[in-house]
Amino acid sequence: LGYGEWRDAISAFLFVYDGSGKPIKSAKVGGSGMAIIDEPSKGPQWGPDGLKINLEAKEARSRLGTYYERTTLGKTLFKGSDPSTPVRLKDLRVYVAVEETELAKNYKPNAFQWQEGELEELRKNDDKDVDGEEPGLFDKLFGRK
């Protein structure tokens, strides 16, 4: 924890139990980006706003819709709460996979995401100057005059 990583994970999800004890799943939406966030001196986070846990204050916040789908509960994982208001934690369990799932291994970007190798192809000439020559060390550090 606290390594400052922002992990992509197309198969990430959150779930909560409804009043009858039935689990309700909130899957990752909008591609795999920023599924799990691990920043120094903060608790675990699923998306920038899907579920944020503050271990020091023993509080959690949840806002669904941008990174994790809305459930039948509405805008938050916490029944009857406002997404902008933290709730007090009384218990916390986190389960993680130890290896990549088959879904993640075989993931193919959708039409609105960079396809495999597409971004690399576009950026392959980024280090070359206008004449097609590799820039020198001075040019790389300070730019060409």
Side-chain angles (χ1 to χ4, degrees), residues 1 5-6 8 18 20 25 39 47 54 56 61-62 65 69 73 75 78 87-88 95 103 108 113 116 118 130 144:
L1 281 169
E5 298 176 321
W6 290 45
D8 295 352
D18 70 6
S20 69
K25 184 176 178 178
E39 292 186 346
N54 182 333
E56 213 171 275
R61 293 175 189 255
S62 171
E69 71 183 347
L73 297 174
K75 297 178 182 179
F78 310 121
V87 297
R88 194 94 178 123
Y95 299 92
L103 178 63
K108 299 289 183 220
Q113 297 171 310
E116 192 173 325
E118 191 174 27
V130 293
R144 186 168 284 225

Side-chain angles (χ1 to χ4, degrees), residues 1 5-15 26-29 31-39 42-55 59-69 75 77-78 89 91-97:
L1 281 169
E5 298 176 321
W6 290 45
R7 293 288 180 129
D8 295 352
I10 192 62
S11 59
F13 65 92
L14 297 165
F15 80 91
S26 176
K28 177 74 178 81
V29 295
S32 63
M34 293 193 299
I36 302 157
I37 300 171
D38 177 24
E39 292 186 346
K42 295 184 180 178
Q45 241 177 277
W46 286 262
D49 54 4
L51 176 60
K52 294 169 87 168
I53 297 173
N54 182 333
L55 294 173
E59 295 177 336
R61 293 175 189 255
S62 171
R63 180 182 309 265
L64 301 174
T66 51
Y67 288 86
Y68 286 85
E69 71 183 347
K75 297 178 182 179
L77 289 170
F78 310 121
L89 289 175
D91 189 20
L92 174 66
R93 294 180 191 180
V94 177
Y95 299 92
V96 296

Side-chain angles (χ1 to χ4, degrees), residues 64-120:
L64 301 174
T66 51
Y67 288 86
Y68 286 85
E69 71 183 347
R70 290 190 176 181
T71 66
T72 57
L73 297 174
K75 297 178 182 179
T76 177
L77 289 170
F78 310 121
K79 188 174 183 178
S81 75
D82 182 321
S84 61
T85 306
V87 297
R88 194 94 178 123
L89 289 175
K90 84 178 169 183
D91 189 20
L92 174 66
R93 294 180 191 180
V94 177
Y95 299 92
V96 296
V98 293
E99 61 184 52
E100 199 171 33
T101 65
E102 286 303 313
L103 178 63
K105 288 177 190 174
N106 299 317
Y107 174 70
K108 299 289 183 220
N110 68 34
F112 299 108
Q113 297 171 310
W114 293 109
Q115 300 301 306
E116 192 173 325
E118 191 174 27
L119 184 58
E120 291 80 2

